[in-house]
Amino acid sequence: MRFLFKTSYAQDIRLAKHGGHTFWYSLLCLALVVAPWAAPEYWLAQLTFVLIYAIAGLGLMLLAGYTGQFSLGHAAFLGVGAYTQAVLTGMGWPFFLSLACGALLSAAVGVVVGLPALRVKGIYLGIATLAFGFIVEEVFARWESVTGGNAGKSVLPPQLFGHTLETTEAFYYLCLGLAMACTLAILNLLRSPTGRAFVAIRDSEISAQSMGIHLAHYKTLSFALSAAFAGIAGALYAHKMQFLSPDQFSILQSIDLLLMIVIGGLGSVHGAFLGALFLILMPQLISLGKDLLPEAIGQAPGLQAVVYGAVLIAFVLFEPLGLYGRWLKVRTWLQLFPFYRKGMFKRQKSFQKSDRLK
């Protein structure tokens, strides 16, 4: 009995569903570890940005993808974490202590936003968080004694145990370690009763409340946790950029974060990383494609925004589950080949188009 109990418990805490997951995720981790030896410095810097945005995407995915709360001001939490990190490290605080303070302060601001947002949902919640984002951006611009205002604020390189992480490789490993820790934290949270309560609220608030789930408590907790992850990403963003200004945390940044999780795949941890990869690689692809387009189109202002909008509309219409949803269908096709039939996903699409009461 004791052996059976231990075996069952070990299976319960295992994150990988089977040996195939363990193999492929181990291979991915190995590739990320050896990336500094294989990738040029420029692409290593871009991969660092992917990890930073993925951490912010995990927080927003928890709020929007798993709790069903709409946010258009998430860049404000990113900015709170970034400026907190810049101020505290400038005062000589240790890196991890200032990182924790930035996450806690962002979480506290998330609670402040979450409490008034309890009475609204849908597009009205989006408008409320949008207004909050404008307010915080204005605070960053006006509070010159702390943030430097529109003139900006310089950020010192991070220091760990007396060593300054000045190289791209060292900072990449720091971001990689924190991204892995945040991913494990999200995965374990989603397997807990709290995570299941978040999903229940997303699926139906009325049903969740009838099961005894305290909506106000869990919605506020979701805002706080989401803001904390954004604060961690903001702290890393500050060290990576080494210079902060209020326009880096504008409404455009919030839209980019929301676009990232929608295209990556709402309701999936993989979607945060796929969306971050899309967000970083798409400008590179647009820059390469400009030379292949006619000059009147390739040099037109606002081309990137037009491409982003077209891609978002295409995903909403043809692939609501995002890049991760498309990968699931490709994987299913490969598993069922040659027995795959054309209309297998028709029922799934009709279910996605149905309108359920919230």
Side-chain angles (χ1 to χ4, degrees), residues 106-310:
S106 298
V109 176
V111 171
V112 173
V113 178
L115 289 175
L118 294 176
R119 295 182 176 274
V120 294
K121 59 182 180 179
I123 187 63
Y124 302 104
L125 179 58
I127 294 174
T129 54
L130 176 64
F132 165 75
F134 283 127
I135 293 172
V136 172
E137 184 182 357
E138 193 66 19
V139 170
F140 290 158
R142 301 298 178 184
W143 201 359
E144 297 182 359
S145 60
V146 176
T147 65
N150 290 317
K153 185 177 184 64
S154 299
V155 185
L156 298 175
Q159 292 187 355
L160 290 179
F161 310 109
H163 299 281
T164 302
L165 305 183
E166 295 180 337
T167 63
T168 304
E169 292 81 3
F171 187 71
Y172 165 78
Y173 281 122
L174 175 63
C175 294
L176 178 61
L178 288 174
M180 294 177 66
C182 290
T183 303
L184 292 175
I186 286 288
L187 290 174
N188 281 283
L189 175 65
L190 293 174
R191 288 148 44 98
S192 68
T194 301
R196 291 194 291 269
F198 289 157
V199 175
I201 293 173
R202 177 198 66 185
D203 291 342
S204 176
E205 292 186 8
I206 298 175
S207 299
Q209 194 170 18
S210 67
M211 291 188 294
I213 295 175
H214 197 291
L215 296 183
H217 169 75
Y218 284 102
K219 283 185 177 181
T220 306
L221 180 61
S222 179
F223 263 101
L225 292 175
S226 178
F229 280 100
I232 294 173
L236 296 175
Y237 180 83
H239 285 300
K240 181 60 181 174
M241 298 298 295
Q242 296 185 354
F243 182 82
L244 298 176
S245 61
D247 58 352
Q248 292 173 325
F249 310 104
S250 63
I251 178 61
L252 296 179
Q253 182 75 280
S254 297
I255 293 176
D256 282 344
L257 292 175
L258 190 61
L259 177 74
M260 178 178 68
I261 65 168
V262 171
I263 291 180
L266 278 174
S268 66
V269 174
H270 298 80
F273 287 90
L274 293 175
L277 195 63
F278 168 85
L279 191 66
I280 298 301
L281 290 183
M282 182 55 70
Q284 317 293 333
L285 296 177
I286 293 176
S287 298
L288 293 175
K290 285 183 178 180
D291 299 333
L292 303 177
L293 296 173
E295 185 176 356
I297 299 176
Q299 303 301 323
L303 177 63
Q304 181 171 326
V306 171
V307 173
Y308 274 22

Side-chain angles (χ1 to χ4, degrees), residues 288-334:
L288 293 175
K290 285 183 178 180
D291 299 333
L292 303 177
L293 296 173
E295 185 176 356
I297 299 176
Q299 303 301 323
L303 177 63
Q304 181 171 326
V306 171
V307 173
Y308 274 22
V311 171
L312 180 60
I313 292 173
F315 271 97
V316 170
L317 291 178
F318 303 109
E319 191 51 80
L321 296 180
L323 292 172
Y324 183 61
R326 175 52 54 181
W327 157 245
L328 290 179
K329 293 178 180 179
V330 172
R331 188 182 67 182
T332 303
W333 184 87
L334 293 174

Side-chain angles (χ1 to χ4, degrees), residues 64-97:
Y66 287 101
T67 317
Q69 304 300 299
F70 192 55
S71 175
L72 273 176
H74 223 67
F77 303 127
L78 197 75
V80 170
Y83 277 109
T84 303
Q85 185 76 7
V87 171
L88 294 183
T89 53
M91 295 170 59
W93 285 41
F95 171 79
F96 284 111
L97 182 58

